[in-house]
Amino acid sequence: MSNLVCLITKSKMKIVFQYLALVFIGILFLSKQIGCNDMFPALNVSPSNITLGLTETMRLECSIKVVNKSLIAIVVSHSRDTVQPTFTYISSVSSFQGVNNYISDTSMYVTGAINSTGLSYLNITWSYPQEESAGLYKCEVNEIDEIGKPLRVSSTATVSVALPSIGSVISEINHLRKELNELKFEFSSLKNVVSLEISSLKNLFNNVDNKTETLQQKNENESAHWTAVDNQNKIRFASIENKTNSVVHMQENFVRTIASSRDELFISSNNFKGKKYLLTKEAAFFYPSLAQAVCTLFGGYLAEMDTSEEFNFVRTFVRSHGSQFMQVMAGGSDEGHEGHWTYRHSKSAVVSFWGPGEPDNYNGENCQNFYRNLDYRMADGQCIALSSTSVGFLCEVPA
């Protein structure tokens, strides 16, 4: 009888285990169907292998798409030890404070945003990462689910560091040598042009000098006068030569500055229908023609919003990155034609995205701007900034 009971018990246990196995398989299948991987943040570090002195930038990108939850914050931390990690906060972005950095690192540039209906992200870029950049990086996401329960999920990525090989150093030296030769060629071409100009001026001076000598021979009484003329011409030639050299030097500096200054001066938006928007990082607005000229240097013009979709995109960008400004100047104006608002670049009529009660022409305000006190809706403002500390401007450029 006991053997029969034992046999029946074993049979029941077998059925139970088979049932549990089927349930587990069903859960795995459903998890693949509903995309459980989407619950965790996507973390990517590129490159994951750093070569000291040769790797120019390292970029960390952490993002997550929120579904049926409220996202509170994304936090990135770092541990030098990958076996027994002890993490230190680097940076975060939250729905309360925006982007916040926890370490002082001048080589680090951080952007981030919390989007309650789409993709939220925190991106960090390092220039010429050093040995201490190696280790384990963790992206941690804090959420609240639909029943108010706090959730915390994270992903990790490892970065290694290595000394450069002889081959990679030689390759970098050859690359720099090629760039140096190209710069030498450009400088040589510019130097030839300047030399031709100087030669032309010298010939002109020689002609003047010859004529002076002829006149001196004709009339010795005017010798003192023509000596003075000769001295003036020499001084003028020296001044022209100095100015020419100064202009050449300024042109060289200007070319280098333009090539490297865009990221120093502006925060760039994402691509919007073949265009991007450049917002000054610091207050740099004095009057519209100067701002328009700076935008022109980078191939664009003061921003012009033609559709509600474009305005909402630009307003979100300005509100996220321009909170330090009371006003951010755009391209509209009724200066010289009061009440008839047109864009400076296209000359077309300004599309109405005004805030409540705007434009009000208070104290002769003739320039269109995003106004912080109206939650960055459009308002009219003074065209000349009395204090540049609270006014920026926005350029529209091809993507």
Side-chain angles (χ1 to χ4, degrees):
M1 182 68 179
S2 61
N3 291 336
L4 180 61
V5 171
C6 182
L7 180 62
I8 293 173
T9 302
K10 289 182 179 180
S11 299
K12 288 183 178 180
M13 291 295 292
K14 183 177 181 181
I15 293 172
V16 170
F17 282 125
Q18 288 176 343
Y19 174 76
L20 291 176
L22 288 173
V23 170
F24 179 71
I25 292 172
I27 291 173
L28 289 178
F29 176 77
L30 288 174
S31 69
K32 291 182 179 180
Q33 295 298 315
I34 64 177
C36 286
N37 289 335
D38 292 339
M39 296 171 58
F40 295 90
L43 177 60
N44 178 54
V45 182
S46 178
S48 59
N49 299 309
I50 299 170
T51 302
L52 287 178
L54 298 184
T55 301
E56 294 184 3
T57 60
M58 183 180 78
R59 181 173 175 83
L60 181 148
E61 298 176 338
C62 179
S63 62
I64 188 168
K65 187 173 183 179
V66 177
V67 179
N68 297 328
K69 300 180 186 69
S70 295
L71 182 59
I72 298 177
I74 301 174
V75 183
V76 170
S77 54
H78 173 241
S79 170
R80 292 290 303 277
D81 191 345
T82 61
V83 178
Q84 294 181 336
T86 301
F87 289 99
T88 300
Y89 289 142
I90 297 176
S91 187
S92 68
V93 59
S94 69
S95 53
F96 307 108
Q97 294 182 335
V99 173
N100 190 21
N101 296 327
Y102 301 100
I103 62 173
S104 177
D105 188 348
T106 57
S107 70
M108 184 176 73
Y109 176 68
V110 183
T111 60
I114 299 297
N115 191 339
S116 60
T117 60
L119 190 69
S120 297
Y121 66 93
L122 180 61
N123 296 337
I124 307 175
T125 301
W126 289 269
S127 298
Y128 289 98
Q130 300 300 309
E131 184 176 359
E132 56 268 21
S133 299
L136 188 64
Y137 289 85
K138 179 170 70 172
C139 177
E140 186 177 279
V141 174
N142 298 309
E143 305 173 301
I144 296 178
D145 66 13
E146 60 272 14
I147 63 173
K149 180 180 179 181
L151 299 174
R152 178 179 293 174
V153 292
S154 64
S155 297
T156 60
T158 303
V159 175
S160 61
V161 65
L163 293 174
S165 65
I166 294 177
S168 61
V169 171
I170 292 175
S171 176
E172 183 68 14
I173 290 174
N174 289 334
H175 175 70
L176 292 174
R177 183 177 295 168
K178 181 181 178 181
E179 290 188 345
L180 179 61
N181 288 335
E182 290 175 353
L183 288 173
K184 285 182 178 179
F185 177 77
E186 292 178 2
F187 177 76
S188 177
S189 299
L190 186 59
K191 185 177 180 181
N192 289 336
V193 172
V194 174
S195 297
L196 289 174
E197 291 295 328
I198 292 175
S199 178
S200 176
L201 289 172
K202 285 182 177 179
N203 290 333
L204 178 62
F205 171 73
N206 289 334
N207 290 334
V208 172
D209 192 46
N210 291 334
K211 291 180 179 180
T212 301
E213 291 178 358
T214 300
L215 291 172
Q216 285 177 332
Q217 292 173 0
K218 290 181 178 180
N219 192 349
E220 293 181 358
N221 294 332
E222 296 182 359
S223 176
H225 169 73
W226 290 114
T227 299
V229 171
D230 183 49
N231 290 334
Q232 289 176 0
N233 286 332
K234 289 180 179 179
I235 294 172
R236 186 178 302 167
F237 169 74
S239 176
I240 292 173
E241 189 172 27
N242 289 336
K243 289 180 180 179
T244 302
N245 292 333
S246 176
V247 168
V248 170
H249 181 69
M250 290 173 62
Q251 287 175 336
E252 293 173 350
N253 288 338
F254 182 74
V255 171
R256 288 194 296 269
T257 301
I258 289 299
S260 63
S261 63
R262 172 168 165 166
D263 292 337
E264 295 294 332
L265 294 175
F266 295 101
I267 299 173
S268 177
S269 73
N270 293 328
N271 191 342
F272 178 81
K273 295 185 178 181
K275 297 179 291 187
K276 285 188 175 182
Y277 301 88
L278 305 180
L279 174 63
T280 48
K281 289 182 177 180
E282 299 179 0
F285 178 85
F286 296 98
Y287 47 88
S289 58
L290 174 60
Q292 186 78 317
V294 173
C295 292
T296 302
L297 287 176
F298 294 97
Y301 45 85
L302 283 172
E304 301 179 357
M305 284 65 66
D306 300 314
T307 66
S308 296
E309 182 183 7
E310 181 182 11
F311 172 72
N312 291 332
F313 175 86
V314 174
R315 179 188 174 207
T316 300
F317 171 63
V318 172
R319 187 165 48 190
S320 298
H321 301 283
S323 60
Q324 69 272 32
F325 299 129
M326 177 63 71
Q327 303 173 44
V328 175
M329 288 295 168
S333 173
D334 70 342
E335 194 171 20
H337 36 79
E338 186 65 41
H340 179 59
W341 287 84
T342 59
Y343 289 124
R344 293 178 180 276
H345 174 72
S346 65
K347 309 303 181 185
S348 59
V350 168
V351 181
S352 178
F353 299 114
W354 300 105
E358 299 292 341
D360 58 7
N361 195 33
Y362 179 74
N363 285 339
E365 295 174 326
N366 295 316
C367 284
Q368 181 191 44
N369 65 82
F370 293 88
Y371 192 40
R372 186 170 65 192
N373 288 351
L374 294 177
D375 194 21
Y376 294 100
R377 293 180 175 86
M378 305 310 294
D380 56 351
Q382 296 291 338
C383 290
I384 298 177
L386 299 178
S387 173
S388 64
T389 58
S390 62
V391 183
F393 62 89
L394 185 70
C395 298
E396 181 177 330
V397 300

